[in-house]
Amino acid sequence: MELVYPPVLAIARSLFAAQGLKFTLVGSENLPRTGGAVVMMNHLSYMDFTYAGFPAIKQRRVIRFMAKKEVFDHKISGPLMRGMKHIAVERGNGAQSYRDAVAALKRGELVGIFPEETISRSFELKSFKTGGVRMAQEAGVPIVPMILWGSQRVWTKGKPKRLGRTNTPITVAVGEPMTYDETLSPEQNTQRVKDAMQKLLDAARANYPTLSGADLEFLPASMGGTAPTLDEAEADDARIAAERRRKRAEKAAAASSSQG
């Protein structure tokens, strides 16, 4: 019995209504009404996991999202994440979160993952990890492609939050379920899902209101926007990741020295 998820969803829907967010849901019927499935989606904003749950509501389902452990450690979000039975991903211990996700899939759960792992600063699809399709293969469940568009205008990496009344349109589109092709490698199967997601994304962009002026910062460079290119964004992400690793190493070295 779900004790936490329903009230959290109700509160979220009220907050989104207060913001004036205008949702367009496409293909909600593609989410299976029963049984497990890996739901793979793009990552544009900090709010994506909340918006991505809307199509599941129409199917009377909930999605268990894989999220970094730090979210579970937070004094406010942690109890909610655990109550909603989301799956914690601990840096350096991905094997355990993978096992937890496969177990949830075998129990008939929908498991949501962001194969790009981090928010795309370019608002294009980044490189995908293969974990999602490997989970689907091991659990014997389908993969459901999903995309979001417009969520980057609410709260994304490196931009101020826009959590007041914004009247922002947000599209969530769900593609047809896909099965793991045993004749192909995990990388090739991942590319198949990515291609399906790109088609959904192209369609969502084509039907989205035209952005102009200051909102061009939320539009990919390939579409005439001022967001960084995919190469520029990934180079920046690599630089930031390297700096974080350096700081963690320094912290660990300092801790080791103090203990000695």
Side-chain angles (χ1 to χ4, degrees), residues 2 35-38 61-64 85 101 103-111 141:
E2 298 288 343
V38 175
R61 301 293 305 272
V62 294
I63 300 176
R64 314 297 182 188
K85 303 175 186 176
L105 291 166
K106 289 182 176 180
R107 290 195 303 269
E109 302 275 13
L110 299 178
V111 173
V141 300

Side-chain angles (χ1 to χ4, degrees), residues 123 159 210-221 223-228:
F123 311 128
K159 309 289 185 187
T210 301
L211 299 183
S212 60
D215 278 340
L216 286 176
E217 66 177 341
F218 300 113
L219 197 65
M223 298 177 67
T226 59

Side-chain angles (χ1 to χ4, degrees), residues 3-24:
L3 298 177
V4 178
Y5 224 134
V8 169
L9 287 173
I11 292 171
R13 294 177 79 172
S14 296
L15 291 174
F16 298 156
Q19 286 180 270
L21 302 183
K22 304 177 186 301
F23 289 93
T24 298

Side-chain angles (χ1 to χ4, degrees), residues 100-122:
D100 291 343
V102 170
L105 291 166
K106 289 182 176 180
R107 290 195 303 269
E109 302 275 13
L110 299 178
V111 173
I113 71 165
F114 298 103
E116 299 164 287
E117 289 193 330
T118 59
I119 291 173
S120 173
R121 296 172 185 265
S122 68

Side-chain angles (χ1 to χ4, degrees), residues 74-255:
H74 192 275
K75 63 181 180 181
I76 296 176
S77 62
L80 294 175
M81 295 295 283
R82 289 188 290 274
M84 289 185 282
K85 303 175 186 176
H86 294 312
I87 301 168
V89 180
E90 186 173 359
R91 185 181 287 111
N93 189 25
Q96 183 58 54
S97 58
Y98 179 92
R99 289 193 292 269
D100 291 343
V102 170
L105 291 166
K106 289 182 176 180
R107 290 195 303 269
E109 302 275 13
L110 299 178
V111 173
I113 71 165
F114 298 103
E116 299 164 287
E117 289 193 330
T118 59
I119 291 173
S120 173
R121 296 172 185 265
S122 68
F123 311 128
E124 304 278 15
L125 296 182
K126 298 172 59 177
S127 299
F128 280 23
K129 302 296 184 182
T130 62
V133 299
R134 289 189 288 108
M135 289 174 195
Q137 179 193 31
E138 185 170 340
V141 300
I143 304 150
V144 181
M146 178 189 291
I147 64 91
L148 299 99
W149 186 248
S151 61
Q152 72 273 25
R153 299 175 63 194
V154 179
W155 185 15
T156 192
K157 187 179 290 186
K159 309 289 185 187
K161 302 174 188 176
R162 302 173 70 192
L163 301 180
R165 189 166 185 87
T166 63
N167 299 320
T168 301
I170 295 175
T171 300
V172 187
V174 185
E176 294 183 0
M178 305 173 66
T179 56
Y180 188 95
D181 187 337
E182 297 289 350
T183 67
L184 302 176
S185 67
E187 290 77 15
Q188 290 171 317
N189 274 284
T190 299
Q191 186 61 51
R192 289 175 59 227
V193 180
K194 186 177 182 180
D195 290 344
M197 289 171 62
Q198 186 64 61
K199 289 180 181 178
L200 291 171
L201 186 58
D202 290 343
R205 288 170 170 175
N207 291 298
Y208 195 81
T210 301
L211 299 183
S212 60
D215 278 340
L216 286 176
E217 66 177 341
F218 300 113
L219 197 65
S222 64
M223 298 177 67
T226 59
T229 65
L230 181 59
D231 287 344
E232 291 169 342
E234 295 207 328
D236 196 35
D237 285 342
R239 178 187 58 78
I240 293 171
E243 180 65 14
R244 286 176 178 165
R245 287 194 297 270
R246 183 187 66 79
K247 289 182 178 179
R248 286 198 299 270
E250 289 180 351
K251 185 176 180 180

